[in-house]
Amino acid sequence: MSKILKGTLLLTAGTFLSKFLGMIYTVPFENMVGPQGTDLFAYGYTPYSILLSLSSMGIPVAVSKFVSKYNSLGDYQTGRNMLKAGMILMSITGFIAFLILFFSAGVVATWTVGSGSPLIEDATLVIQMVSFALLIIPPMSITRGFFQGNESMAPTAVSQVVEQIARIVFLLGAVFIIIQLLEGPTELAVGFATFGAFIGGLASCVVLFVYWRKRKPYLDRQIEAQEYTYGLSTKEMFKELFTYAGPFILVGIATPLYQVVDQFSLKKAMEAGGFAYNDAYSTINFLSHKLVMIPVTFGIGLSLALLPVITQAFTKNQMDQLNRQVNQALQIVALLIIPSVIGLSVVSMEAYATFYGVEELAFRGGLLRWYAPVGLALALYTVTSSILQGINKQNFAVISLGSGILLKVACNWWFIQMFGAKGAILATGLGVTTAVVLNFIRIFSSIEFDYKPLYKRTLLILILSTVMALFVVGVKLLLGLFMNPMESRLDALIVLMLSIGAGGVAYLWLTYKTTLLERVLGGRIRVLDKFLSRF
């Protein structure tokens, strides 16, 4: 099994479990705080995500590339020096970001809910509470980047899961105590819920420290065995690091940037267009986003595993190997994410009803149906940006992201006025897709990419995914004769599980019989022979 696939599977498993837990907790959370509470929660997390990316400056991902590069040259000491210097830098920038977000919370709240809104104080509290996480997350994340650069993906995967578990336990516990036991105000409960990000960061630090103690003897032996070191000064290391990281300050905040456009304009544009707001912001950018991010996690895991491998191939000028690795990575994305987002669109009503209830389901489930395909663009943007990083074309990511954001800003108010809340989704989809297309053009021209295998297999995947979708629709129609998922949460759950299960089995069988599965993932899938060869 290739390094890309091994790393992808490990990181995706950790990221998927983390995102799955992040999706599941929204069910009891939304039930306890209600739609307005989830809106408040989302208002706090979007500016936090932007400041988090700005404070880390894209450095954790860049450290992965930096360490991988010098390891491939036999210089392990330089990577260790970068870890030490980087942690100090991230601690300083994290503290500065904390001060900025904490003391500007009132201004951000006013921009979000309007100057005359009674929610200003509540939104300010939530934003201030989440800002404490900026003190610990940036230096913690650079340690993950160091391990990834050493092609050690387990620390990142395990720490992500532990971080999420600790955050969710604290979040739900605090909300339950404040609302159910103390009968306190919802805004205070939501504030403590966002503070859970700080608690999760602490838990992740403990996990990474344990891994460091375990791996340090091996890393020390690498340094002792090396024959040469480039002896870079701190200034020289940071200069090279920032050439990698600078453009990816923006890449790290791609999704929050699209969301913050909605945060400052969605409610106002809908009311100006005569549409009922119905907490559309949290419906799209918090609740639906949690569901859409489940298939997108594979793209995130793939991008993290892809960067060190591509960097080494590019550094050693192994262009044929680089071409194969990029081709395989993009085919894996197509194989797994295209059917996932198509399937989620088909079962959007059942999925939303299962997790968040049947209240206003036609409106909320409809938004999920429109938002699901955007997940493919988000995943492709993450992966293509990592490829650009690996082949030293990271500066172009600024151009592609800037083009996408400008389209979002230009079209958002106009689309919302015409189509209501789904207009914001259409503007996001247009912006992200434009950025992806630009990234593809740059990649294809930079490494003389042979796109024919990718084109042929993606076309086959689209055909098989369409067949799968028709099969899922058939199962839904059949079950609809006996159940009403639009009015019963239990019926929605049953229809969702049976239709997804049937669609998943159908797609697996189709990809196996057409040999697509083996061509993309390799011979390891032959373990399925004894199960699927009988049919």
Side-chain angles (χ1 to χ4, degrees):
M1 187 180 293
S2 69
K3 288 183 179 179
I4 291 179
L5 195 52
K6 287 180 180 177
T8 298
L9 290 175
L10 186 57
L11 281 175
T12 300
T15 307
F16 177 84
L17 184 54
S18 175
K19 297 296 183 183
F20 183 75
L21 292 171
M23 177 187 68
I24 292 297
Y25 89 84
T26 60
V27 179
F29 178 71
E30 196 270 344
N31 285 337
M32 286 190 285
V33 303
Q36 288 190 349
T38 58
D39 246 24
L40 272 179
F41 189 86
Y43 290 158
Y45 254 89
T46 300
Y48 158 75
S49 299
I50 293 175
L51 264 295
L52 176 61
S53 292
L54 289 175
S55 64
S56 61
M57 299 181 291
I59 284 180
V61 178
V63 164
S64 173
K65 175 178 179 176
F66 184 94
V67 172
S68 176
K69 172 186 172 180
Y70 283 95
N71 282 0
S72 68
L73 297 173
D75 182 4
Y76 299 96
Q77 182 63 53
T78 297
R80 181 73 66 86
N81 294 342
M82 173 53 71
L83 174 64
K84 295 176 183 177
M87 288 192 70
I88 295 172
L89 176 64
M90 290 296 93
S91 297
I92 295 172
T93 57
F95 180 71
I96 294 172
F98 158 73
L99 293 177
I100 292 173
L101 186 58
F102 186 89
F103 289 106
S104 67
V107 176
V108 175
T110 302
W111 289 349
T112 300
V113 299
S115 57
S117 173
L119 296 175
I120 291 178
E121 290 186 6
D122 298 343
T124 300
L125 172 65
V126 171
I127 294 170
Q128 288 179 331
M129 292 290 279
V130 76
S131 67
F132 286 95
L134 293 167
L135 295 171
I136 195 168
I137 301 295
M140 177 270 290
S141 61
I142 202 171
T143 310
R144 290 176 177 172
F146 175 79
F147 279 120
Q148 289 160 206
N150 281 281
E151 297 185 12
S152 179
M153 307 301 175
T156 294
V158 175
S159 66
Q160 281 179 331
V161 175
V162 172
E163 177 185 1
Q164 189 71 292
I165 292 173
R167 184 178 77 91
I168 291 171
V169 169
F170 179 86
L171 179 154
L172 292 179
V175 172
F176 179 80
I177 290 172
I178 293 172
I179 292 181
Q180 301 295 328
L181 299 184
L182 302 180
E183 297 182 354
T186 299
E187 58 272 16
L188 180 63
V190 174
F192 273 91
T194 58
F195 186 75
F198 177 82
I199 303 300
L202 284 178
S204 178
C205 286
V206 172
V207 173
L208 292 171
F209 178 74
V210 171
Y211 270 105
W212 172 255
R213 291 289 299 271
K214 182 179 178 181
R215 302 284 173 88
K216 190 174 184 296
Y218 169 73
L219 297 172
D220 288 342
R221 287 194 296 271
Q222 284 183 320
I223 294 176
E224 293 169 0
Q226 75 180 32
E227 298 178 357
Y228 177 78
T229 178
Y230 285 82
L232 300 180
S233 66
T234 301
K235 180 180 179 181
E236 290 171 326
M237 285 193 302
F238 281 154
K239 183 178 179 181
E240 180 175 348
L241 187 70
F242 284 128
T243 62
Y244 303 151
F248 277 77
I249 299 173
L250 295 179
V251 172
I253 59 175
T255 299
L257 279 178
Y258 287 104
Q259 292 177 337
V260 82
V261 175
D262 288 340
Q263 180 167 338
F264 294 149
S265 63
L266 178 58
K267 186 174 187 293
K268 301 180 184 72
M270 288 187 68
E271 291 174 348
F275 296 98
Y277 174 58
N278 290 333
D279 305 301
Y281 178 75
S282 60
T283 299
I284 297 170
N285 292 305
F286 180 60
L287 300 176
S288 294
H289 187 72
K290 290 287 186 181
L291 296 175
V292 171
M293 284 302 292
I294 294 301
V296 175
T297 52
F298 191 86
I300 297 172
L302 179 61
S303 66
L304 293 174
L306 190 64
L307 182 56
V309 180
I310 284 184
T311 299
Q312 288 193 15
F314 184 79
T315 302
K316 297 177 180 179
N317 200 32
Q318 298 170 338
M319 301 309 292
D320 289 340
Q321 180 180 344
L322 176 63
N323 210 312
R324 288 194 301 271
Q325 289 168 342
V326 173
N327 225 314
Q328 183 189 23
L330 294 174
Q331 288 178 34
I332 291 172
V333 170
L335 177 72
L336 297 180
I337 299 184
I338 288 177
S340 298
V341 298
I342 290 177
L344 183 57
S345 289
V346 174
V347 298
S348 60
M349 295 294 180
E350 292 78 10
Y352 198 97
T354 297
F355 287 99
Y356 308 125
V358 297
E359 184 180 356
E360 298 183 24
L361 182 57
F363 172 72
R364 300 180 188 277
L367 291 179
L368 175 58
R369 173 167 292 165
W370 283 92
Y371 193 54
V374 179
L376 175 61
L378 292 173
L380 284 173
Y381 180 76
T382 304
V383 174
T384 54
S385 296
S386 281
I387 294 172
L388 288 172
Q389 176 84 306
I391 62 175
N392 270 345
K393 301 297 180 184
Q394 57 269 14
N395 290 335
F396 187 79
V398 177
I399 298 174
S400 63
L401 177 61
S403 301
I405 294 296
L406 284 175
L407 270 176
K408 168 70 172 176
V409 173
C411 298
N412 207 53
W413 189 280
W414 177 34
F415 282 9
I416 294 171
Q417 291 269 299
M418 289 194 300
F419 306 112
K422 63 177 176 285
I425 299 173
L426 294 173
T428 298
L430 178 62
V432 180
T433 302
T434 299
V436 170
V437 170
L438 292 174
N439 282 354
F440 269 126
I441 293 172
R442 187 59 171 170
I443 292 168
F444 291 172
S445 63
S446 298
I447 62 174
E448 297 180 357
F449 185 77
D450 182 11
Y451 62 87
K452 291 181 181 178
L454 175 63
Y455 172 77
K456 292 178 181 178
R457 289 176 186 170
T458 301
L459 184 60
L460 178 58
I461 289 167
L462 285 170
I463 294 171
L464 299 183
S465 298
T466 302
V467 175
M468 176 208 72
L470 292 174
F471 189 77
V472 171
V473 170
V475 173
K476 282 179 54 179
L477 291 175
L478 180 62
L479 294 173
L481 298 175
F482 312 98
M483 301 178 181
N484 189 353
M486 295 293 290
E487 296 183 3
S488 168
R489 199 166 183 172
L490 178 60
D491 286 0
L493 172 62
I494 295 173
V495 173
L496 177 67
M497 297 303 294
L498 292 179
S499 57
I500 283 182
V505 170
Y507 182 73
L508 180 63
W509 183 82
L510 289 169
T511 54
Y512 175 81
K513 285 298 185 180
T514 57
T515 70
L516 177 66
L517 206 60
E518 183 175 356
R519 291 176 184 273
V520 176
L521 299 181
R524 291 298 182 95
I525 60 93
R526 288 172 186 163
V527 69
L528 299 173
D529 285 349
K530 58 183 178 181
F531 300 106
L532 297 177
S533 59
R534 303 173 185 174
F535 300 97

